[in-house]
Amino acid sequence: MSRAPFDLVIRNACVATASDTFKADIGVLDGRISQLGVGLDRGEKEIDAAGRIVTPGGVDAHCHLDQPMAPPVRMADNFDTGTRAAACGGTTTVIPFAAQEKGQSLRAAVADYHQRADGRAHVDYAFHLIVSDPTPEVLNVELPALIAEGYTSFKIYMTYDDLKLDDGQILDVLDVARQHGAMAMVHAENADCIEWLTKRLEAAGRTAPRFHAHARPMLVEREATHRAIALSELVDVPILIVHVSGREAVEQIRWARAQGLKVFAETCPQYLFLTAEDLGMDDSYRGARCVCSPPPRDKANQEVIWNGLNDGLFTLFSSDHAPFNYEGTEGRKPGGEEVSFRHIPNGLAGIETRMALLYSEGVLGGRITLQKFVELTATNPAKAYGLHPRKGTIAIGADADLVIWDEREFVLRNTQLHHAVDHTPYEGMTLKAWPGLTLSRGEVVWDGRDFHGRAGRGQFLACGAPSLMPSRHVGRPA
Ligand code: URP
Ligand code: ZN
Ligand code: ZN
């Protein structure tokens, strides 16, 4: 028999995009979607998706993989295990961070990060930059050149001693974003307030993990969010506030949108499914497993975040996967010690669970539409970082990055996951769905039971200009 016109046909799919749901067959040729229609011709391979929802593969636009850390701390996931976990959780594109150390050139940081990724990734990846040392060379030479080469987004920290920039430095970096059309992501927490509170807590002997949340109350995030908005207004450049945790930061962003400012916002699963109580109700060290910044808040703030997802306040839903083991010497217990909360590495594992958590509790829980799910997890992240329409949608010409969903109830256990982290913050949660099949450029990388990736098959993606404009968001009380 002659060769079929398609490499793969997915039949009878219930295709969900950020705008529509429709029944179609999906024809895949050379890794791309080449036709959508009813009754498509033969594929070399055929998959029957009858009655099942098919969404674009997830784009996790905020995750940390194999990011260099000060010894003895080390991230548990590298590009191999991190992208394996991503694929098994329905994510087909990841954007981790090439982080500049103070005193290091940005070029060197990018070159080092490519070495860490080369030959290891199972799904496609791009890089954000982290700018921690904006020297004249970085601002005038390196950053403009890197933006032109496809590194079109960078993160600015307002906290963490080894990463933070002062306001003058932030203005300088935002000005580069404006001149060269890059997207600036901001970690908004007031470093001096955190240090002041931390010292007082330590002086009072309050060093258990739960005091991490006491050192970072919402006003710390609110003040920095407001300041970041003002700095971006001064420079007249869009910014994206990452990992927004609750009401006070949300109110600042609503205010900015109501003024017509181009302020985008991202939130993460930990702000929907965890509270400060997960850092511990007593001084037990187990709460170290949920230390992240900003910290999770409370049930009322979870509702604020759900509302923001629904009404367009949030543009992106990312994992902020920052993988550290609980046991051993390289993670939550640096050198094997139970340390003061100040020294516990920040961040939670979530690259594999992000999509299923939002699908289960958001879509099947009746809190958001399927279209909103696709927008937040795939289409908007691809647009925000210049990867759309190749990534983040189901359309002719797009990469055949697809998820076919299995809707079934099960109890989540870390033993089911494919990351290299010894715990999940969501252990024991009942989920209602999980990806039954993940395709990356037309190849099955996860079939609902087994992983079929291949280290090195993931390709580096040079990003284009961000193609996202905020809707003018008229504020309503959070
Ligand atoms: O606690 C967090 N969020 N850790 C990861 C690094 C960052 O700031 O995103
Ligand atoms: Zn951050
Ligand atoms: Zn992060």
Side-chain angles (χ1 to χ4, degrees), residues 41 44 69 102 234 343 373:
D41 207 339
E44 286 293 316
M69 298 278 123
K102 288 200 197 288
L234 187 58
H343 301 296
F373 169 83

Side-chain angles (χ1 to χ4, degrees), residues 139-140 144 147 154 171-182 235-238:
L139 293 170
N140 301 324
I147 293 167
F154 43 79
L171 288 169
D172 282 342
V173 175
L174 290 180
D175 197 34
V176 176
R178 182 179 196 273
Q179 286 179 46
H180 298 275
V235 177
D236 188 23
V237 66

Side-chain angles (χ1 to χ4, degrees), residues 188-194 196-197 213-227 245-252 294-295 297 301:
E189 288 185 298
N190 180 311
D192 288 342
C193 291
I194 294 168
W196 189 80
L197 287 166
H214 296 224
R216 302 174 115 95
M218 281 208 288
L219 83 82
V220 159
E221 186 186 4
R222 181 232 300 161
E223 186 282 328
T225 302
H226 182 88
R227 187 156 37 98
S245 73
R247 181 177 59 80
E248 297 195 21
V250 163
E251 284 172 353
Q252 298 303 313
R297 307 298 182 183
N301 279 286

Side-chain angles (χ1 to χ4, degrees), residues 401-456:
D401 290 358
L402 302 163
V403 177
I404 305 180
W405 286 90
D406 271 356
E407 297 186 7
R408 63 184 162 87
E409 251 186 39
F410 69 100
V411 176
L412 181 70
R413 300 285 174 211
N414 194 54
T415 48
Q416 297 157 355
L417 298 179
H418 300 79
H419 58 194
V421 188
D422 60 9
H423 63 282
T424 167
Y426 311 107
E427 180 77 27
M429 255 184 88
T430 299
L431 298 191
K432 303 185 188 83
W434 193 263
L437 206 76
T438 307
L439 293 122
S440 164
R441 282 181 277 102
E443 280 182 46
V444 174
V445 286
W446 165 248
D447 68 7
R449 224 190 63 167
D450 294 314
F451 173 63
H452 300 282
R454 198 174 63 256

